């Protein structure tokens, strides 16, 4: 009965306010994924009732640019041949725990069978490292390039893995045409709206979650002075989620941040922003904690768990979206560094398992060979679960133990 009243209120508010009443409930049937490519998504931990709406949200709207939708074609990409051993893997243990576990990936390494086989053996989800970033997927104002994004989705679906799509709004890896553009605020709103609706619409029904807005804050908790803040203002954040939800009613929509994993000014800012968005009925489903940490000074497990719990209490999922643990700057023997690194991974996965809302654990890279840190810092580093010879490290076994 209560829901009927709520629904009536929603409809009434929509009529009165002549605004698009914002329904948080999915409007369409669950995505039709090829049977072999749809591992069981975790059962929703949170109560199903929609977040109570504040004032109905109203945002400018737009039509997506005309592009062909992505279609999964099993003939286009063969699944990797997985060894038939029945031993424990991260994927098997994660699925027994209702967790999504995986790594970021990129077509540039798909030719390496070690890479594609181990990723598919150990993951039930892959994150798209660079292929869906604006400079790659929308390189000119009137041209989209879905090649690498489609290849990544092909690889995931062919191997029964879900896709964590990354990233709709960020202020790095943006193309020249965007950064040099001279437009009115309304024109910028149209540009952002069309990008989001076109890209999300292209992959509609095939994406587990979208990083909608990435790294909006400074460490102080102030909004970072990014291109979109300058040309649109803080509303760019709520607008981005609104348009993403319209383009794909089923994908989980994520606010993703780094250095906001523990309890600090930045995670307080993420919490407050999330609370405000939910109060306005903006469709936010999860907060992504990137977990790019160092051996020294990772967030304590207690702070990480407390932060996860307060986000869960808002009704949000919490995802570990990009974990890696840098060993550089340490002068200890590598064996000691790797043991300490394993402990950081173990504590993180254990904290995630203690919080029902924590349903995703993704490392940023499968092996130490293909990792952004060494190229970004110019210093050798060993941040993830497999070494340069694709052998599991102490960190891998620590995650395996934490999942048991
Ligand atoms: O594609 C060009 C290539 O054509 C060119 O030859 C080459 C050399 O200049 O650069 C290539 O682009 C590089 C791109 O990765 C693809 O490999 C960029 O220079 C390089 O800056 C870019 O780095 C990415 C970085 O984001 C950009 O800030 C990393 O691979 C990627 O792992 C990293 O990921 C970010 C997440 O998106 C957001 N969270 C933080 C995380 C780590 O920075």
């Amino acid at each position: 009965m209560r829901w009927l009243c709520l629904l009536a209120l929603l409809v009434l508010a929509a009529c009165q306010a002549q605004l698009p009443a914002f329904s948080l409930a999915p409007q369409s049937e669950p995505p039709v994924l090829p049977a072999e490519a749809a591992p069981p998504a975790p059962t929703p931990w949170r109560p199903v009732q929609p977040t109570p709406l504040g004032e109905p949200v109203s945002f400018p709207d737009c039509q997506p640019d005309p592009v062909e939708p992505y279609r999964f074609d099993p003939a286009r990409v063969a699944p990797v041949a997985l060894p038939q051993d029945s031993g424990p893997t991260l994927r098997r243990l994660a699925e027994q725990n209702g967790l999504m576990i995986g790594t970021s990936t990129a077509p540039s390494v798909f030719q390496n069978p070690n890479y594609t086989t181990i990723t598919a053996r150990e993951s039930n989800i892959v994150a798209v490292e660079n292929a869906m970033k604006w400079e790659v997927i929308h390189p000119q104002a009137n041209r989209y390039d879905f090649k690498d994004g489609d290849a990544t989705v092909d690889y995931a679906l062919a191997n029964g893995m879900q896709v964590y799509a990354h990233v709709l709004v960020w202020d790095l890896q943006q193309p020249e045409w965007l950064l040099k553009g001279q437009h009115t605020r309304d024109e910028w709103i149209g540009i952002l709206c069309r990008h989001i609706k076109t890209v999300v619409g292209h992959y509609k029904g095939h994406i587990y979650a979208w990083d909608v807005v990435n790294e909006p804050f400074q460490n102080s908790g102030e909004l970072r002075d990014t291109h979109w803040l300058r040309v649109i203002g803080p509303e760019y954040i709520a607008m981005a989620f609104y348009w993403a939800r319209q383009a794909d009613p089923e994908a989980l929509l994520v606010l993703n941040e780094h250095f906001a994993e523990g309890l600090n000014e930045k995670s307080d800012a993420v919490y407050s922003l999330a609370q405000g968005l939910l109060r306005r009925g903006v469709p936010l489903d999860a907060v992504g904690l990137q977990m790019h940490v160092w051996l020294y000074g990772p967030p304590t497990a207690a702070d990480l768990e407390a932060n996860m719990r307060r986000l869960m209490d808002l009704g949000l999922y919490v995802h570990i979206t990009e974990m890696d643990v840098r060993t550089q700057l340490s002068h200890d023997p590598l064996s000691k560094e790797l043991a300490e690194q394993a402990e950081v991974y173990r504590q993180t996965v254990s904290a995630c398992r203690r919080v029902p809302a924590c349903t995703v654990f993704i490392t940023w890279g499968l092996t130490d060979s293909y990792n952004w840190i060494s190229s970004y810092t110019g210093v050798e580093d060993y941040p993830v679960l497999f070494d340069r010879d694709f052998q599991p490290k102490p960190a891998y076994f620590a995650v395996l133990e934490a999942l048991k």
Side-chain angles (χ1 to χ4, degrees), residues 129-130 133 135-136 166-167 170 172-173 214-215 256 258 290 292 322 364 372 376:
E129 185 177 18
N130 290 302
K133 288 176 178 172
E135 71 175 1
V136 178
H166 175 80
V167 55
W170 190 29
L172 290 186
Q173 294 178 268
N214 189 54
E215 302 169 22
N256 193 37
H258 67 152
Q290 292 185 10
H292 290 296
E322 308 184 11
W364 207 244
W372 68 282
Y376 181 72

Side-chain angles (χ1 to χ4, degrees), residues 34-37 70-79 154 157-158:
E36 71 283 3
Y70 167 83
R71 282 191 183 78
F72 176 68
D73 173 2
R76 195 170 55 213
V77 52
D154 279 349
L157 300 187

